[in-house]
Amino acid sequence: MMRSYFKMIKPLDIIIVISLIILSFIPFFIFSVIHAGTVGKVYTAVISVNGEEIKQIDLTGHRGREIFDVHSDAGHVNTIEVYEGKIRIREADCRDQVCVLTGYISKPGETIVCLPNQVLIEITSDSGQDEDIIISS
């Protein structure tokens, strides 16, 4: 019975199957190379109020939850939350709440801006260049 199946297989069929198996591993190698390029980089969240930098937080390797308030000169308050290498504005006393709705950011080039309270959170990397520039509002 098996001999009848082997007679149906042509040499070109074997080449096609082997080629497809090899091609199926290409995404794995591509993602491995991309991931290897990000290993060892340090991502930092820079928090500014009224254009003045007030705090830097190292996001790379950050574990746990950290919550703190940022006060502006006009008396406005933004509550910042850092969780497992991501940062967000958890609460704000502005009217539109766009900064709160932005959610967590964690990649270089991503920003959160609270225009009414003049608070800016920007993610930077130690390489000095932002790999993926993402504009988020």
Side-chain angles (χ1 to χ4, degrees):
M1 177 109 164
M2 290 296 285
R3 289 186 181 206
S4 64
Y5 288 121
F6 287 130
K7 288 181 183 179
M8 291 177 21
I9 298 174
K10 307 277 190 260
L12 186 59
D13 294 338
I14 294 172
I15 292 172
I16 290 173
V17 168
I18 291 173
S19 298
L20 290 173
I21 290 172
I22 292 171
L23 287 173
S24 71
F25 285 100
I26 288 178
F28 171 75
F29 292 118
I30 290 173
F31 289 121
S32 296
V33 168
I34 290 171
H35 180 68
T38 61
V39 172
K41 293 190 179 177
V42 177
Y43 296 156
T44 305
V46 180
I47 302 171
S48 304
V49 177
N50 297 329
E52 183 180 324
E53 182 179 314
I54 61 164
K55 190 169 188 173
Q56 288 190 2
I57 299 171
D58 184 17
L59 294 179
T60 304
H62 187 278
R63 297 290 171 243
R65 186 179 308 271
E66 180 182 348
I67 300 172
F68 58 92
D69 289 336
V70 173
H71 301 274
S72 68
D73 295 338
H76 298 290
V77 180
N78 288 61
T79 302
I80 311 290
E81 178 180 11
V82 183
Y83 177 69
E84 300 292 328
K86 303 176 288 187
I87 189 167
R88 72 174 178 152
I89 295 180
R90 182 177 181 169
E91 296 175 16
D93 61 0
C94 59
R95 294 178 64 175
D96 58 9
Q97 298 290 302
V98 171
C99 56
V100 175
L101 296 174
T102 300
Y104 286 104
I105 60 172
S106 62
K107 296 178 183 167
E110 292 182 321
T111 60
I112 300 175
V113 179
C114 183
L115 286 177
N117 298 355
Q118 298 181 350
V119 175
L120 169 69
I121 302 174
E122 182 179 21
I123 308 296
T124 61
S125 68
D126 63 346
S127 66
Q129 297 177 349
D130 295 337
E131 290 85 15
D132 298 324
I133 297 187
I134 299 172
I135 298 174
S136 169
S137 59

